[in-house]
């Protein structure tokens, strides 16, 4: 296996836990967002491919970066995003930061504490929200901090839902080592059919941290000028709150955390509708977000 295309998993934006450029997004913005997703998916598939050595993963990720910036040979996984960025006059910064996160995944499989996990989220999650906001021409000073909080929560929720699979398939553990130690949990507990009460306590603690982050970012839909994007983010935020609450009560090793597609759709539509109803009364200044980083 020698190319990023050959490392693809076959997963698409329709397989993600949260909406990616749903039809709430205006058609003129969906193309660049989906091109971004395609590029990022290619990098993520490289990092998660168990048949590649860390060195080969890094080489492929470097090749994707060079193809996107024009510093190296063209790559079909990078071409659509490169064209979209040129058309919009946008820099490749956010996509390159995500490649940095995938390089971390290639080299690193454990996280010492929550701060270290948040540093990972700074590169693996926050650039996604920032890119979507940039595509829509939103003000970074008003929106990035709240977006960062939501994106970090989404990333950690995904980690918690997949904690058993990540350990079994990739020997990758995103649950902070100090939190596991506090509850007396060995990493091997992630390989069990059911989570022990102590592991459930670890997962619950992190789920509550996600709820805190989502609370910090709750004002984002009202800070966004584009109405359709505001509705999309309101829907994602509400779905994330439901999943985080579910993780405080359910065992991701032995049972699904998410609700059915119909329930998710109804929840998303209700949140989007509520955001639309608030538009005439929305706040137009950014809140202070604890721990926000550039």
């Amino acid at each position: 296996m020698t190319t990023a295309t050959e490392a693809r998993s076959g997963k698409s934006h329709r397989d993600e836990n949260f909406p990616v450029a749903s039809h709430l997004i205006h058609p003129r913005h969906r193309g660049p967002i989906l091109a971004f997703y395609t590029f990022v998916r290619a990098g993520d598939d490289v990092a998660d491919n168990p048949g590649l050595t860390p060195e080969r993963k890094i080489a492929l990720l470097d090749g994707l970066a060079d193809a996107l910036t024009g510093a190296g040979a063209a790559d079909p996984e990078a071409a659509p995003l490169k064209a979209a960025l040129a058309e919009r006059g946008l820099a490749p910064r956010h996509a390159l930061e995500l490649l940095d996160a995938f390089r971390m995944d290639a080299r690193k499989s454990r996280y010492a504490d929550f701060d270290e996990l948040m540093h990972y989220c700074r590169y693996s999650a926050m650039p996604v929200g920032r890119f979507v906001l940039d595509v829509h021409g939103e003000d970074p000073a008003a929106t990035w901090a709240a977006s960062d909080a939501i994106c970090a929560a989404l990333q950690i929720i995904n980690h918690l839902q997949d904690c058993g699979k990540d350990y079994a398939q990739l020997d990758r553990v995103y649950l902070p080592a100090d939190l596991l130690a506090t509850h007396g949990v060995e990493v091997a507990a992630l390989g069990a059919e059911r989570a022990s009460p102590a592991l459930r306590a670890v997962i619950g603690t992190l789920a509550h941290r996600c709820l805190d982050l989502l609370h910090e970012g709750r004002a984002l839909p009202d800070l966004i000028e584009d109405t359709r994007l505001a509705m999309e983010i309101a829907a994602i935020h509400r779905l994330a709150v439901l999943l985080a609450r579910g993780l405080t009560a359910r065992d991701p090793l032995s049972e699904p955390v998410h609700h059915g597609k119909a329930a998710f759709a109804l929840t998303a539509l209700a949140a989007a509708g509520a955001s639309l109803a608030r538009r005439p009364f929305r706040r137009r200044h950014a809140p202070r977000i604890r721990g926000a980083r550039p």
Side-chain angles (χ1 to χ4, degrees):
M1 188 178 293
T2 58
T3 70
T5 298
E6 290 171 327
R8 292 298 298 268
S9 66
K11 188 175 181 179
S12 79
H13 68 282
R14 295 182 179 86
D15 301 310
E16 298 295 334
N17 290 324
F18 298 98
V20 177
S22 81
H23 289 287
L24 284 172
I25 297 293
H26 195 285
R28 72 175 179 271
H29 297 313
R30 293 187 78 237
I33 294 171
L34 290 174
F36 184 85
Y37 174 84
T38 297
F39 179 81
V40 169
R41 180 76 261 161
D44 200 13
D45 285 346
V46 166
D48 288 351
N49 192 295
L52 298 174
T53 65
E55 294 76 19
R56 186 59 189 154
K57 291 178 181 181
I58 298 298
L60 289 175
L61 293 169
D62 289 347
L64 285 172
D66 290 344
L68 184 63
T69 61
D75 189 300
E77 304 296 344
L81 179 58
K82 185 177 181 181
L85 293 175
E87 181 182 354
R88 295 294 181 102
L90 297 173
R93 170 187 174 184
H94 304 309
L96 296 177
E97 287 183 338
L98 278 153
L99 292 183
D100 285 338
F102 302 145
R103 291 186 185 96
M104 290 184 214
D105 281 333
R107 300 184 177 109
K108 183 180 178 68
S109 61
R110 302 290 189 272
Y111 290 82
D113 52 34
F114 192 77
D115 285 345
E116 198 168 278
L117 181 59
M118 285 294 287
H119 174 75
Y120 173 77
C121 291
R122 166 61 185 84
Y123 292 91
S124 69
M126 297 179 190
V128 177
R130 294 180 180 190
F131 176 80
V132 172
L133 292 167
D134 283 0
V135 165
H136 284 80
E138 298 290 337
D139 179 9
T143 59
W144 274 18
S147 174
D148 287 352
I150 292 174
C151 288
L154 298 179
Q155 178 71 89
I156 297 169
I157 287 168
N158 282 338
H159 289 333
L160 295 176
Q161 289 190 105
D162 296 338
C163 61
K165 182 177 69 174
D166 285 341
Y167 175 68
Q169 297 180 2
L170 300 167
D171 188 34
R172 191 179 293 160
V173 179
Y174 293 104
L175 309 187
D178 65 342
L179 187 58
L180 290 170
T182 295
H183 290 273
V185 178
E186 300 288 340
V187 166
L190 289 165
E193 292 185 1
R194 295 180 179 275
S196 66
L199 179 55
R200 288 282 298 274
V202 171
I203 293 168
T205 297
L206 290 170
H208 281 292
R209 296 294 292 269
C210 290
L211 288 170
D212 290 342
L213 288 166
L214 291 167
H215 184 72
E216 290 182 4
R218 70 194 184 284
L220 181 59
D222 294 340
L223 300 173
I224 287 174
E225 296 299 324
D226 186 283
T227 297
R228 294 176 68 145
L229 177 60
M231 293 170 68
E232 170 100 336
I233 291 174
I236 291 171
H237 183 273
R238 181 57 183 162
L239 292 173
V241 169
L242 281 182
L243 283 172
R245 288 177 178 168
L247 284 160
T248 68
R250 298 187 185 95
D251 172 14
L253 298 190
S254 63
E255 58 184 323
V257 175
H258 56 79
H259 299 280
K261 289 184 178 180
F264 254 41
L266 288 173
T267 299
L269 287 173
S275 174
L276 181 62
R278 287 197 309 270
R279 296 300 282 175
F281 314 103
R282 67 192 179 99
R283 296 169 57 189
R284 291 178 179 268
H285 62 278
R288 289 180 60 85
I289 302 297
R290 175 175 51 82
R293 298 178 182 179

